[in-house]
Amino acid sequence: MKLPVPSIAALALSAASLSAVAALKPADLFGEPVAPPPLSARSTPPSQIATITITGDTRWVNVNHYEVVRFAANGSEFTWYFDGMAQPRPFDLSEIAPAGFVGHSVTVYVSPSERDFP
């Protein structure tokens, strides 16, 4: 059976796109942690960092793409720079939080920012 050239090209492109997605690291998708002060030069100044306190009642949080957010819970905290890909889907905070940071599921919704729409 002979496949037409466009079909072969479509199959090759599909395989290439799947391998590109598989090569993505969590930081590519979700962003990266921000070291404790002093913050890196590309980060938001400390006065512009939003703090979100996670309690036992917190089920979801909203953040913006390219936003720096300090998460606090149970006497610990971590800061995250949401500079990954614009999120096509919500994800669980446990995917970026330090182990044991929170004992229940908290969904993170990342909204596009003004920088996403030139």
Side-chain angles (χ1 to χ4, degrees), residues 9-32:
L11 288 171
L13 287 174
S14 295
S17 67
L18 287 174
S19 63
V21 170
L24 291 175
K25 297 176 278 207
D28 296 331
L29 295 174
F30 305 127
E32 59 192 325

Side-chain angles (χ1 to χ4, degrees), residues 26-35 39-45 48-50 63-71 78-85 87 91 93 96 108 110 113 115:
D28 296 331
L29 295 174
F30 305 127
E32 59 192 325
V34 176
L39 296 173
S40 64
R42 65 184 173 152
S43 296
T44 305
Q48 296 178 8
I49 295 176
V63 298
N64 293 314
H65 193 213
Y66 298 112
E67 183 176 23
V68 177
V69 177
R70 178 180 299 115
F71 292 97
F78 76 99
T79 304
W80 196 263
Y81 181 32
F82 288 92
D83 68 338
M85 296 174 57
Q87 291 301 308
F91 62 92
L93 183 63
I96 62 170
V108 178
V110 182
S113 72
R115 289 174 57 184

